[in-house]
Amino acid sequence: QVQLVESGGGLVQAGGSLRLSCAASGRIFSITVMGWYRQPPGKQRELVASITSGGTTNYADSVKGRFTISRDNAQNTVYLQMSSLEPEDTAVYYCYADLYGGSRYTYYWGQGTQVTVSS
């Protein structure tokens, strides 16, 4: 059974930083893309950032220059370093991975971690 476990959320003041981590475990043969979505209160889930196994990254315009995504392929772990946080970044953050567990590539999701930025 594949699991994605997130950590690192919390409460921070505007202008501060947080680092999210997400580790995938279980029957995993390979992972193509890993990344993060977020869902602000009362809004739809939106893509924050993604990274391929080769290190190609993609960011939402709203976080470019403030957030950095990285990945440890050996540990099946993805990170999101968030800096210069704004109240608008308040959301539940979900990691995801497109991985091959023996039958076909499937998207898996973490349980979500709350990030709250106070003004």
Side-chain angles (χ1 to χ4, degrees), residues 54-69:
T56 300
T57 58
N58 180 51
Y59 295 93
D61 288 341
S62 59
V63 307
K64 283 181 181 177
R66 300 188 299 120
F67 291 10
T68 302
I69 190 169

Side-chain angles (χ1 to χ4, degrees), residues 9-78:
L11 173 64
V12 64
Q13 287 188 330
S17 299
L18 280 176
R19 187 189 194 215
L20 305 182
S21 301
C22 173
S25 63
R27 184 178 170 86
I28 299 171
F29 289 89
S30 67
I31 303 177
T32 55
V33 180
M34 300 185 81
W36 297 87
Y37 275 74
R38 68 185 180 186
Q39 188 164 17
K43 297 184 179 181
Q44 291 187 330
R45 194 175 294 193
E46 60 185 12
L47 177 66
V48 177
S50 64
I51 184 168
T52 69
S53 57
T56 300
T57 58
N58 180 51
Y59 295 93
D61 288 341
S62 59
V63 307
K64 283 181 181 177
R66 300 188 299 120
F67 291 10
T68 302
I69 190 169
S70 61
R71 177 173 169 172
D72 183 337
N73 290 329
Q75 299 296 323
N76 293 329
T77 300
V78 64

